[in-house]
Amino acid sequence: MIELRQFRQFVAVAEELSFRRAAERLHMAQPPLTASIRKLETELGTTLLERTNRVERLTPAGRVFLEEARRALAQAERAIRDARRAGEGLIGSLRLTFVASSAHSLLPQLIRSFRARHAEVALDLQEASTAQQVQALQMDRADLGLVVLPLADPHGLTVVPLVRDSLVVALPGGHHLARRRKVALAELSREPWIRFPARYGPGLHSRITAACAAAGFVPQVVQEALQMETIVGLVAAGLGVAVVSPAAADRERHDIGFRPLVGPGTPIGYDIALAYPRATPVVEAFVALARSAAADRPK
Amino acid sequence: MIELRQFRQFVAVAEELSFRRAAERLHMAQPPLTASIRKLETELGTTLLERTNRVERLTPAGRVFLEEARRALAQAERAIRDARRAGEGLIGSLRLTFVASSAHSLLPQLIRSFRARHAEVALDLQEASTAQQVQALQMDRADLGLVVLPLADPHGLTVVPLVRDSLVVALPGGHHLARRRKVALAELSREPWIRFPARYGPGLHSRITAACAAAGFVPQVVQEALQMETIVGLVAAGLGVAVVSPAAADRERHDIGFRPLVGPGTPIGYDIALAYPRATPVVEAFVALARSAAADRPK
DNA sequence: ATCATGCGATACCCTGTTCGTATCGTGAGT
DNA sequence: ACTCACGATACGAACAGGGTATCGCATGAT
């Protein structure tokens, strides 16, 4: 059976047109090279070199073989290189799902730094609720999910908590609660609420609703809005208060204030985590990157 | 260094998803196969298979490597196959030159039968005088030439005589020489001649001129013509006689006759031969074919 | 729960191949 | 004619690849 070694050896001889120089290039002695080429010719059933006392030229078969052998060597190289790069997560694809609430702060940052280092990984991004993501991950329709904890059924999934966001309440300027350093959830029981619709980020939505129920009230929602900008605007206009992720606090202005929201004593928070069914190199690379990004991030 | 054997082994394992079955397919025992794949993974610096107790699936790197390895194997196969076929003269190219006088009888027949057996050989046909061909062959501008003997300077060329054509003289119907079985060249000394122009087949042209000189006369050329049809027509019309190759005798009609031309006793002939500087497989195949075609051919 | 089955991993040995060293034969250039 | 350079040949040593026997372990059946 003909091996790549013989390809490499023949290419060297063909390019040098000298057994001696080719042997040098291959870091081997000349006699075994001669023998190897001879064996190759026998196996091919044709002569590749026109020999006199020295190598004169290639035969037509030699010219054909040289060209095709070079291609084969290049393709073998490519196979090896690509496998290595795939092993390092440098090429391949990543089907990443994410909760809507991460789309405005955490996700863009992660995507940017991942793209910078793994430009050749094809990213397939898909927004989905945490429950949908768990299903997708378990059914091999996604590789990695950015979810809100806790997971109802984390069976077969590795879960890596990334950041704990404490919720904040957005208050209109001059609101009586705005004088406080922090606001208890129960204090919002009689305030008019502005919320994201439930279908947009059901995980976070239901967490808040559950927390309110635990505090003994049902939020009085006077308005729903999809865009963070809209919500902030409505709050600033005095229509009501809004419980939002701290990412929204970037939009601090004179006519709106953000205050930490606390439950019975402790901040009301929600954990964002990465979940995946199998640790492929690409997944591991992304997780490692996300971990360090999360560590850098001020709580 | 990674070898094709490892490619083949991995492809087998990846396709069977079982070391045992793959080993069977490869006609080897399972333990060395396991060891070989392990070594491959070490050399690649990445794992290719997800193993539990058995082979579960390919890793992303494994999928990449499988695809690229298949391509590499296919390319290696192609290299081997093409080298073999080139060695048998089944692929490649042939730069064939030929004298104009062969273009109407011998050449087409050779080309046809060569093409039938060597369809994938690229034929590069070029008409040239014998002297030009000799030069082209010696300067590696042609691989094989169909020439008229003798060669002035056959240095470095192998010459294979193919056929000896005896010249014939074409006579108008009713011409006084038409009653003869054969005609001596000297008898044409006072006849009006119709000839090919000298630039069209100088080899044969000069042979005839030389033969006339040896017979003590210079042909009285009343008309030159390029096409065999034209010459035959002019002879039939009684304008003169023409010395032509016997291939023209196919055009025998009631108003024209063809008679063998003899010198002092012997037929005046000319030898057509193949000449080549190097015996490549394609050249050898063509020469072998031409020899057997010439042998079959009635003199 | 226990046991049988099947698969891959490990341990060990052997054979064939491949490479290195030494040397020879032979054309080409001086 | 002689020398030089190159490829071919001969032979020995090291190694890698493959074979056999066996183990550990997960899965599925009883």
Side-chain angles (χ1 to χ4, degrees):
Chain A
M1 193 104 325
I2 297 175
E3 291 296 333
L4 283 182
R5 180 176 36 78
Q6 293 167 284
F7 281 54
R8 286 187 271 265
Q9 290 171 339
F10 173 72
V11 169
V13 172
E15 284 177 356
E16 299 287 344
L17 282 176
S18 156
F19 277 85
R20 192 162 292 277
R21 283 196 300 274
E24 214 169 295
R25 208 170 98 178
L26 295 164
H27 306 296
M28 66 185 290
Q30 166 261 317
L33 179 57
T34 296
S36 184
I37 297 292
R38 226 169 231 310
K39 195 180 160 212
L40 174 63
E41 289 181 322
T42 305
E43 284 169 318
L44 287 176
T46 185
T47 165
L48 299 171
L49 300 168
E50 283 187 29
R51 303 164 167 81
T52 56
N53 203 24
R54 61 196 67 221
V55 176
E56 282 301 321
R57 64 172 69 78
L58 300 181
T59 63
R63 278 191 290 276
V64 167
F65 190 65
L66 173 60
E67 188 168 333
E68 300 301 313
R70 276 197 187 119
R71 290 215 186 104
L73 287 171
Q75 178 57 39
E77 277 308 312
R78 183 162 30 235
I80 292 166
R81 183 174 49 86
D82 284 2
R84 286 199 175 121
R85 301 208 298 168
E88 293 166 11
L90 292 175
I91 62 173
S93 64
L94 181 66
R95 296 168 298 174
L96 176 66
T97 56
F98 57 93
V99 290
S101 49
S102 70
H104 297 298
S105 58
L106 188 58
L107 185 69
Q109 173 195 349
L110 292 179
I111 297 299
R112 257 194 305 277
S113 62
F114 185 77
R115 276 250 170 78
R117 262 176 277 266
H118 301 261
E120 293 182 67
V121 172
L123 279 179
D124 178 5
L125 298 172
Q126 182 96 36
E127 185 263 317
S129 72
T130 294
Q132 288 172 331
Q133 288 188 50
V134 167
Q135 249 199 340
L137 292 167
Q138 286 167 342
M139 295 176 67
D140 192 35
R141 288 188 289 108
D143 302 310
L144 184 60
L146 198 56
V147 295
V148 171
L149 297 184
L151 304 185
D153 171 28
H155 193 75
L157 299 184
T158 304
V159 177
V160 178
L162 278 188
V163 295
R164 159 162 300 211
D165 268 4
S166 306
L167 289 173
V168 299
V169 56
L171 303 164
H175 192 278
H176 70 280
L177 288 172
R179 274 166 292 169
R180 305 283 196 72
R181 286 275 310 280
K182 40 189 169 181
V183 176
L185 184 59
E187 295 178 294
L188 302 177
S189 62
R190 301 183 154 266
E191 298 290 332
W193 281 47
I194 300 157
R195 292 190 77 169
F196 288 105
R199 67 182 158 80
Y200 184 75
L204 186 52
H205 193 277
S206 61
R207 291 270 310 191
I208 295 171
T209 308
C212 291
F217 71 98
V218 174
Q220 305 300 314
V221 178
V222 297
Q223 182 64 51
E224 288 189 331
L226 267 170
Q227 307 283 342
M228 183 60 75
E229 267 66 28
T230 311
I231 291 179
V232 169
L234 294 173
V235 170
L239 252 72
V241 301
V243 173
V244 296
S245 94
D250 293 349
R251 294 171 179 77
E252 184 118 29
R253 324 189 311 208
H254 76 281
D255 54 358
I256 191 165
F258 297 91
R259 296 292 176 274
L261 188 65
V262 297
T266 62
I268 298 181
Y270 66 104
D271 292 309
I272 291 189
L274 286 170
Y276 52 90
R278 292 202 309 275
T280 69
V282 173
V283 164
E284 279 179 339
F286 194 99
V287 170
L289 219 86
R291 282 187 124 124
S292 77
D296 292 350
R297 186 190 221 228
K299 274 294 171 66
Chain B
M1 194 105 323
I2 297 175
E3 291 296 333
L4 283 182
R5 179 176 33 78
Q6 293 168 282
F7 282 54
R8 287 186 272 265
Q9 291 171 339
F10 173 73
V11 169
V13 173
E15 285 177 356
E16 299 287 345
L17 282 177
S18 156
F19 278 85
R20 192 162 293 277
R21 283 197 300 275
E24 215 168 294
R25 207 170 99 178
L26 295 163
H27 306 296
M28 67 185 289
Q30 167 260 317
L33 179 57
T34 296
S36 183
I37 297 291
R38 224 168 235 308
K39 194 180 161 212
L40 174 63
E41 289 181 321
T42 305
E43 284 169 318
L44 287 177
T46 186
T47 164
L48 299 171
L49 300 168
E50 283 187 31
R51 304 164 166 83
T52 56
N53 204 23
R54 63 196 66 222
V55 176
E56 282 300 320
R57 63 171 69 76
L58 300 182
T59 63
R63 280 192 289 276
V64 168
F65 190 65
L66 174 60
E67 187 168 334
E68 299 301 313
R70 276 197 186 118
R71 290 217 186 101
L73 287 170
Q75 179 56 40
E77 276 308 310
R78 182 163 32 234
I80 292 166
R81 183 174 49 87
D82 283 2
R84 286 200 175 121
R85 299 208 298 171
E88 292 166 12
L90 292 174
I91 61 174
S93 64
L94 182 66
R95 295 169 299 175
L96 177 65
T97 57
F98 57 93
V99 291
S101 50
S102 70
H104 296 298
S105 57
L106 187 57
L107 185 69
Q109 173 193 350
L110 291 181
I111 297 298
R112 257 196 304 279
S113 62
F114 185 76
R115 277 251 170 77
R117 260 175 280 265
H118 301 261
E120 293 181 66
V121 173
L123 279 178
D124 176 7
L125 299 172
Q126 182 96 35
E127 184 263 318
S129 72
T130 293
Q132 288 171 330
Q133 288 188 50
V134 166
Q135 249 199 339
L137 292 167
Q138 286 167 340
M139 296 178 66
D140 191 35
R141 288 188 289 107
D143 303 309
L144 185 60
L146 198 55
V147 296
V148 170
L149 297 183
L151 304 184
D153 171 27
H155 193 74
L157 299 184
T158 305
V159 178
V160 178
L162 279 188
V163 295
R164 159 162 303 214
D165 267 5
S166 306
L167 289 173
V168 300
V169 57
L171 302 165
H175 191 280
H176 70 278
L177 288 173
R179 273 168 291 169
R180 306 283 196 73
R181 284 275 309 283
K182 41 189 168 178
V183 176
L185 185 61
E187 294 178 293
L188 302 178
S189 61
R190 301 182 155 265
E191 297 291 332
W193 281 46
I194 300 159
R195 290 190 80 168
F196 287 105
R199 64 183 160 82
Y200 186 77
L204 186 52
H205 193 277
S206 61
R207 291 269 311 191
I208 297 171
T209 308
C212 293
F217 72 100
V218 173
Q220 305 299 315
V221 178
V222 296
Q223 183 63 50
E224 288 188 332
L226 267 170
Q227 307 284 341
M228 184 59 75
E229 268 64 28
T230 312
I231 293 180
V232 169
L234 293 173
V235 170
L239 252 72
V241 301
V243 173
V244 296
S245 94
D250 293 349
R251 295 170 179 74
E252 184 116 33
R253 324 192 309 210
H254 75 278
D255 54 358
I256 190 165
F258 296 91
R259 296 291 179 275
L261 188 65
V262 297
T266 62
I268 297 184
Y270 64 106
D271 291 310
I272 291 189
L274 284 171
Y276 52 90
R278 291 202 310 276
T280 68
V282 173
V283 164
E284 279 180 337
F286 193 100
V287 170
L289 219 88
R291 282 187 123 126
S292 78
D296 291 351
R297 184 190 222 227
K299 277 295 175 63

